[in-house]
């Protein structure tokens, strides 16, 4: 199998691109219908002076406000620290390379514990540490000729985790496109915050019964999942791609049509999938590890990255998430016969809708 290949592609649900699957679909109008419902929901809260009160009384949102400066500091650090790797690689200091790549995994737990970061700020710090690690590893492996400091900076903010000297490039930056993405980022940020404060937190605080809590969380977590998906993959990544002239906007495939979790894992997040396929799976294949074990170990590495983010967010090690993810491996093997079937599609959505609330309820009660 070949390393992940970037090419000129558009994001499937990008309403600002006339070539996207969404723009060409006869169901395009439903996107704006749902979009407007969300906007009017926020307007309704503002009209009755409830929006400010809801957000002000939320422990989760209060933690984001409290730790906002620390998140900005960590973001600046995340884009400047990799230059230690850049110079170590440039001058051939292999021991320093290993040291600088590993150091953030010591710094970020200390950072989250010392400053007692809330869940979202902690998850942000952990995610940025993992992103930096993957980008640095790919840069070291794929950079065959020196690049300038500016080129390295552009690589660090490009929404790709596999380094290439020549990415597919667009010809210009569309100002209206960027403004639309900025508006959507603000909109989805506020909508996500309201869902947390007005629906998720009351369901968690209101009962200690895990079954009832799972039922109460089902709808708000499903809504928050979709908000997070559009915020990240449709707006933040597309905005970064636009300002860096990055031409491959296929940050996901049609994961909503997955009939097995193996298919979902390959389609849900192609940004991370590209790194896992190129630098973990193919590396294991080069070491003559059997194909099935290469897949299992790649999946385990992915679970480890998720666990690292949870450790940062919760400031504790409770590997329930890793257990659930690894449990998917034998389940995926056993249920391969459901691939491309209606029953498989129903099973996928049933598992997704119920699995997330169960995991959240467990971590709340631990």
């Amino acid at each position: 199998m070949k390393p992940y290949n970037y090419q000129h592609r558009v994001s499937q649900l990008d309403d600002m691109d006339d070539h996207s699957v969404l723009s060409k679909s006869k169901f395009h109008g439903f996107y704006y219908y749902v979009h407007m419902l969300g906007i009017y929901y926020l307007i309704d809260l503002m009209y009755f002076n409830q929006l400010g009160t809801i957000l002000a009384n939320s422990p989760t949102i209060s933690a984001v406000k409290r730790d906002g400066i620390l998140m900005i500091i960590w973001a600046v650090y995340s884009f400047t620290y990799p230059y230690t790797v850049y110079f170590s690689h440039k001058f051939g200091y292999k021991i320093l390379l290993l040291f600088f790549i590993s150091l953030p995994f010591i710094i970020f737990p200390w950072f989250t514990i010392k400053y007692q970061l809330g869940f979202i700020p902690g998850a942000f710090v952990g995610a940025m540490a993992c992103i930096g690690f993957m980008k640095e590893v790919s840069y070291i492996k794929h950079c065959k000729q020196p690049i300038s400091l500016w080129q390295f900076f552009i690589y660090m903010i490009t929404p790709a985790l596999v380094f290439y000297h020549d990415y597919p490039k667009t010809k210009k930056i569309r100002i209206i496109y960027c403004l639309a993405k900025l508006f959507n980022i603000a909109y989805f940020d506020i909508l996500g915050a309201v869902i947390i404060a007005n629906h998720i937190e009351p369901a968690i605080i209101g009962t200690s019964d895990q079954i009832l809590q799972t039922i109460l969380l089902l709808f708000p977590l499903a809504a928050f999942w979709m908000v997070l998906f559009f915020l990240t993959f449709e707006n933040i990544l597309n905005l970064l791609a636009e300002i860096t002239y990055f031409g491959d906007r296929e940050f996901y495939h049609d994961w909503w049509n997955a009939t097995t979790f193996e298919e979902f894992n390959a389609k849900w997040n192609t940004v991370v999938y590209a790194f896992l396929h190129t630098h973990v799976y193919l590396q294991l294949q080069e070491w003559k590890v059997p194909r099935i074990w290469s897949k299992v170990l790649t999946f385990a590495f992915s679970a480890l990255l998720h666990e690292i983010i949870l450790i940062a967010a919760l400031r504790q090690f409770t590997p329930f998430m890793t257990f659930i993810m690894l449990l998917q491996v034998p389940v995926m093997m056993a249920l391969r016969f459901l691939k491309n079937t209606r029953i498989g599609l129903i099973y996928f959505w049933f598992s997704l809708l119920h699995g997330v609330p169960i995991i959240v309820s467990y971590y709340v009660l631990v």
Side-chain angles (χ1 to χ4, degrees), residues 135-208:
K135 276 185 168 288
E136 290 160 7
V137 167
S138 188
Y139 171 74
I140 292 168
K141 291 206 68 176
H142 280 189
C143 184
K144 304 303 181 185
Q145 59 190 49
I147 63 174
S148 68
L149 288 170
W150 176 250
Q151 288 173 317
F152 184 75
F153 172 75
I154 293 299
Y155 163 63
M156 290 307 298
I157 63 172
T158 296
L161 296 178
V162 178
F163 177 84
Y164 284 109
H165 285 282
D166 296 309
Y167 290 118
K169 293 290 186 179
T170 55
K171 295 180 180 179
K172 62 178 182 179
I173 296 176
R174 296 166 289 178
I175 302 301
I176 300 298
Y177 184 92
C178 291
L179 291 175
K181 294 302 177 185
L182 284 171
F183 170 82
N184 282 344
I185 289 171
Y187 160 66
F188 282 119
D189 269 334
I190 297 170
L191 185 59
V194 170
I195 292 172
I196 290 173
N198 209 27
H199 301 284
I200 295 177
E201 284 181 347
I204 291 173
I205 297 170
T207 178
S208 59

Side-chain angles (χ1 to χ4, degrees), residues 187-330:
Y187 160 66
F188 282 119
D189 269 334
I190 297 170
L191 185 59
V194 170
I195 292 172
I196 290 173
N198 209 27
H199 301 284
I200 295 177
E201 284 181 347
I204 291 173
I205 297 170
T207 178
S208 59
D209 184 278
Q210 190 167 11
I211 296 176
L212 179 59
Q213 198 174 81
T214 300
I215 295 170
L216 293 174
L217 284 171
L218 197 148
F219 179 76
L221 280 177
F224 183 74
W225 173 283
M226 295 308 300
V227 166
L228 190 62
F229 167 74
F230 276 99
L231 171 65
T232 305
F233 293 96
E234 266 313 324
N235 293 285
I236 294 176
L237 295 186
N238 266 307
L239 178 62
L240 289 173
E242 190 70 16
I243 64 177
T244 56
Y245 297 92
F246 185 62
D248 194 341
R249 310 293 175 87
E250 195 167 65
F251 304 121
Y252 57 88
H253 299 300
D254 60 332
W255 58 266
W256 48 88
N257 290 326
T259 51
T260 66
F261 273 93
E262 183 176 10
E263 187 181 358
F264 169 73
N265 290 322
K267 289 182 173 182
W268 156 247
N269 184 346
T270 58
V271 182
V272 174
Y273 172 81
F275 176 87
L276 295 174
H277 173 77
T278 303
H279 293 298
V280 182
Y281 178 77
L282 292 183
Q283 182 63 64
L284 291 169
Q285 289 285 277
E286 284 184 20
W287 293 340
K288 307 301 181 183
V289 176
R291 186 168 175 268
I292 184 64
W293 281 108
S294 294
K295 286 188 174 184
V296 171
L297 291 172
T298 301
F299 203 76
F301 182 82
S302 175
L304 177 63
L305 293 180
H306 285 81
E307 193 63 47
I308 286 171
I309 295 173
L310 273 179
I311 290 171
L314 299 172
R315 299 192 302 277
Q316 66 182 22
F317 178 65
T318 311
F320 182 67
M321 178 76 164
T322 300
F323 170 75
I324 292 296
M325 290 187 69
L326 293 178
L327 185 63
Q328 290 181 34
V329 176

Side-chain angles (χ1 to χ4, degrees), residues 316-318 320 360-366:
Q316 66 182 22
F317 178 65
T318 311
F320 182 67
V360 171
S361 294
Y362 174 83
Y363 279 103
V364 167
L365 295 174
V366 167

Side-chain angles (χ1 to χ4, degrees), residues 20-149:
S20 71
V21 173
L22 175 66
S23 295
K24 293 179 180 180
S25 171
K26 292 182 179 180
F27 298 99
H28 191 188
F30 278 108
Y31 170 82
Y32 290 105
Y33 170 67
V34 176
H35 212 31
M36 290 174 69
L37 285 177
I39 292 172
Y40 280 115
Y41 173 60
L42 295 180
I43 291 174
D44 182 65
L45 292 176
M46 287 187 287
Y47 180 79
F48 291 102
N49 297 318
Q50 294 178 334
L51 183 60
T53 304
I54 290 170
L55 298 181
N57 293 332
S58 166
T60 306
I61 305 307
S62 296
V64 174
K65 293 178 182 177
R66 182 194 68 219
D67 301 332
I69 297 299
L70 293 173
M71 292 171 70
I72 293 172
I73 291 171
W74 187 265
V76 173
Y77 159 83
S78 297
F79 288 113
T80 53
Y81 176 84
Y83 282 100
T84 58
V85 174
Y86 170 84
F87 284 112
S88 298
H89 179 262
K90 183 176 182 178
F91 296 112
Y93 300 137
K94 293 184 178 180
I95 296 178
L96 282 179
L97 263 179
L98 182 62
F99 173 75
F100 286 131
I101 286 178
S102 306
L103 188 60
F105 289 105
I106 300 173
I107 293 176
F108 91 77
W110 168 84
F111 190 81
T112 56
I113 293 170
K114 177 177 175 56
Y115 294 104
Q116 293 294 296
L117 298 185
F119 179 82
I120 292 177
F124 173 80
V125 166
M128 292 297 288
C130 290
I131 289 169
F133 167 76
M134 288 186 282
K135 276 185 168 288
E136 290 160 7
V137 167
S138 188
Y139 171 74
I140 292 168
K141 291 206 68 176
H142 280 189
C143 184
K144 304 303 181 185
Q145 59 190 49
I147 63 174
S148 68
L149 288 170

